[in-house]
Amino acid sequence: LRSNLTQQNAAATMIQSSFRRYLSISNYVFTLADIVFCQSIWRRKLAIHQLNRLRRVAAATIIQSTFRRHITMSNYIFTVSDIIICQSVWRMKLATMQVDKIRRRVAATMIQSTFRRHISMSSYIFTLSDIIICQSVCRRLLAIRKAEYMAKERRSAVVIQTLARSWISRKLLEQKKLRKAIWIKQERRMM
């Protein structure tokens, strides 16, 4: 009877632990999705703001902004990595405490499952951070290209205006010379 009760308590503890782990993972995934969504909205707003600043601010300000964004992103990646490592260590400690109470096959399966989940989550987070960094770099390059294109258009307009004014000046000069030549011919006829 006591052995049966101990087995039931162990089973109940295991079910509670699995359910709490499931709730924690679900909450973590939804929170991470919300964070990524907020980050994408915020980064889009920052990219628009930076494009406007590119027209008004010198190159030094752009370098400072990019450096600060890099530091923030690096801190975020290291913080998330530290949290995952702490979770992994804690789960490993819990798993080793439970190995003595449950059969080896179940314990081995649980440890493998925990390790695979850790690897998948780590891979997911690193992939996600790589994607976010790539998006940030691409948006910056697009903004720089647009600014360069706009500067090139302005230079082209100045060249066209210069050529047009030169052509008009030559035509006016030719007309003036022609009128003067006609006037001189008329003066000679009258004499």
Side-chain angles (χ1 to χ4, degrees), residues 141-177:
L141 288 176
L142 287 174
I144 289 170
R145 284 183 186 165
K146 186 172 182 179
E148 289 173 352
Y149 177 74
M150 290 174 72
K152 186 177 178 182
E153 280 184 346
R154 275 191 235 118
R155 286 193 302 269
S156 298
V158 169
V159 169
I160 290 171
Q161 288 174 355
T162 303
L163 292 175
R165 287 179 185 142
S166 172
W167 182 80
I168 289 171
S169 297
R170 275 186 269 137
K171 287 296 180 186
L172 290 174
L173 184 62
E174 287 175 8
Q175 288 176 0
K176 190 174 182 182
K177 284 181 181 178

Side-chain angles (χ1 to χ4, degrees), residues 83-97:
I83 290 170
I84 290 172
I85 290 170
C86 289
Q87 287 176 343
S88 172
V89 168
W90 180 250
R91 288 182 187 134
M92 191 168 69
K93 182 178 178 181
L94 287 177
T96 55
M97 288 173 22

Side-chain angles (χ1 to χ4, degrees), residues 97-149:
M97 288 173 22
Q98 292 176 356
V99 164
D100 294 335
K101 296 178 183 177
I102 48 181
R103 290 184 269 159
R104 286 182 153 213
R105 185 173 290 164
V106 174
T109 303
M110 182 184 277
I111 291 170
Q112 289 173 356
S113 171
T114 303
F115 184 71
R116 287 184 186 133
R117 183 175 52 252
H118 170 70
I119 289 174
S120 296
M121 291 301 288
S122 297
S123 175
Y124 172 75
I125 289 187
F126 285 125
T127 302
L128 183 65
S129 65
D130 291 344
I131 290 170
I132 291 170
I133 289 170
C134 288
Q135 287 175 341
S136 174
V137 169
C138 287
R139 287 181 183 133
R140 180 176 179 271
L141 288 176
L142 287 174
I144 289 170
R145 284 183 186 165
K146 186 172 182 179
E148 289 173 352
Y149 177 74

